[in-house]
Amino acid sequence: MATKKTTRKKAAAPNLICTHSLTADDLATLQRLAQDAGDVLGWTVSSSAIVRALLRHARQQGDRWARAQLVPLIEAEIASGTVWGRKK
């Protein structure tokens, strides 16, 4: 008896296309993460999938985690001078 193939449900909301500025080092890290994930999973992993996974992880951790773990990294990023936009 053949097994039934499961189909993946599509996301409720359509994906939005966004652009982000990255340094060469950040791009290299993103490409390494995609390559490592692809090696483990056995197929090509896009940089968009990596970013979505990181955002999902941050959402699961909650606000306290973001304040304790991400805000110091964001402050360091701003202090490094790689900033687009303006301070409120």
Side-chain angles (χ1 to χ4, degrees):
M1 179 179 208
T3 59
K4 184 178 177 183
K5 185 177 179 180
T6 59
T7 57
R8 193 174 72 162
K9 292 183 180 180
K10 297 220 178 214
N15 290 336
L16 302 174
I17 297 173
C18 301
T19 59
H20 300 281
S21 299
L22 300 174
T23 65
D25 288 341
D26 292 337
L27 179 59
T29 300
L30 186 59
Q31 290 170 336
R32 183 182 48 79
L33 287 169
Q35 181 64 52
D36 290 348
D39 291 346
V40 171
L41 298 173
W43 61 75
T44 302
V45 175
S46 69
S47 58
S48 294
I50 300 294
V51 171
R52 287 191 305 271
L54 290 168
L55 290 171
R56 223 170 261 128
H57 176 73
R59 188 181 323 124
Q60 291 171 353
Q61 303 311 306
D63 292 338
R64 292 177 81 192
W65 177 85
R67 282 189 212 102
Q69 301 297 318
L70 291 181
V71 170
L73 296 173
I74 294 166
E75 286 179 324
E77 178 67 19
I78 291 168
S80 74
T82 310
V83 178
W84 292 273
R86 62 185 109 160
K87 190 174 182 178
K88 289 184 179 180

